[in-house]
Amino acid sequence: MSVRRLAEESVQPDAFAFNRANGAWAKKKIKDYPKGREASAVIPLLMRAQEQEGWVTKAAIEHIGEMLDMPLIRVLEVATFYTQFQLAPVGKRAHIQVCGTTPCMLRGAGEIMDVCKAKISPNPFEVTEDGKLSWEEVECQGACVNAPMVMIFKDSYEDLTPAQMEHIIDRFAAGKGDEITPGPQIDRIFSAPEGGLTSLTGKPVAAKRKASARATAESAKVAAPKKPAVKKAPAKAAGLIGSNAAKLAAKPKADVKAAPKKAAAVKTAGPERLKKPNGKADDLKLISGVGPKLEQTLNGLGFWHFAQIAKWKKADVAIVDDQLSFKGRIERDEWIKQAKVLAKKVK
Ligand code: FES
């Protein structure tokens, strides 16, 4: 089981700054994310800091928190959760992360760790005297089918035996780690069976299937009666918007007669909706919990302004909730409260 803590104060540097190239890269990376969502750049920035320093220092965590205007605890949560981030100095040539979760353990991860103990250090995170190697135990790395496995920086080495592990460590110690091809170390491609396919080995039947599909289509054409021409209902005439309009437009004429009544019901029963924004639409993404996709959905439903959302009552929330794919989000993220504050700011 991996324990994730920051390194001792004695090894922490006083300060951190990205070098010029990485600083420019970081600024550009932050702009990849929408306004108000800059914190999403935290993982790439932490990774770049690690690539620059060799590990993620406390000073780097603080610096990135300031760059992204994030509370320190939020950056710490990310840095201490993912074992891809090294929180203490590690071997410069290889830091071997041995998966110790059940499938790997059942397939020999214990022996792989014994090799690391013998060749590197009896204890995890102890860097060899020459500073080249270190190791630790981590949780599942998602390659269980090829257990046991290890990660070395960004590459995985799978289907290991103790002898192979020794060989890999020796190659990395000699600065020749690139001689080892990452991935399975036995005769298999990715996670396919060892020695080649054992199923789905028949000849392709695509041509046969195509011919049969063509014949079915031909006979269906002959058998199908002609459909009477149906006029589409004009979407706008019904006074609906978004997906309601689309649904209505697709209905046959007979159904359209009843449409105005239904449209009126939607208009009066639910929250205030607008076919288009009054002037410029508000940036709904500023509401925590609303991303670009959800903003699009809200616009499609007729909501463009914070003021509209700020006016929602409980019944309105239930109606809108039904139309979103994330039920309960409005209440959980307190959209109305947020919208009230934001509506005042845009006045
Ligand atoms: S258990 Fe080791 S990779 Fe999943």
Side-chain angles (χ1 to χ4, degrees), residues 17-38:
F18 279 117
N19 60 31
R20 186 192 285 250
N22 286 339
W25 176 92
K27 275 188 194 155
K28 197 161 165 278
K29 180 53 67 182
I30 294 168
K31 286 196 183 134
D32 284 351
Y33 298 91
K35 204 169 175 332
R37 293 286 180 275
E38 289 85 353

Side-chain angles (χ1 to χ4, degrees), residues 99 101 103-104 140-144 149:
C99 172
T101 304
C104 280
C140 178
Q141 298 291 297
C144 330
M149 60 81 68

Side-chain angles (χ1 to χ4, degrees), residues 314-329:
K314 208 165 182 181
D316 301 331
V317 170
I319 291 169
V320 181
D321 223 356
D322 266 348
Q323 295 174 300
L324 299 178
S325 46
F326 298 103
K327 270 203 159 202
R329 174 169 273 201

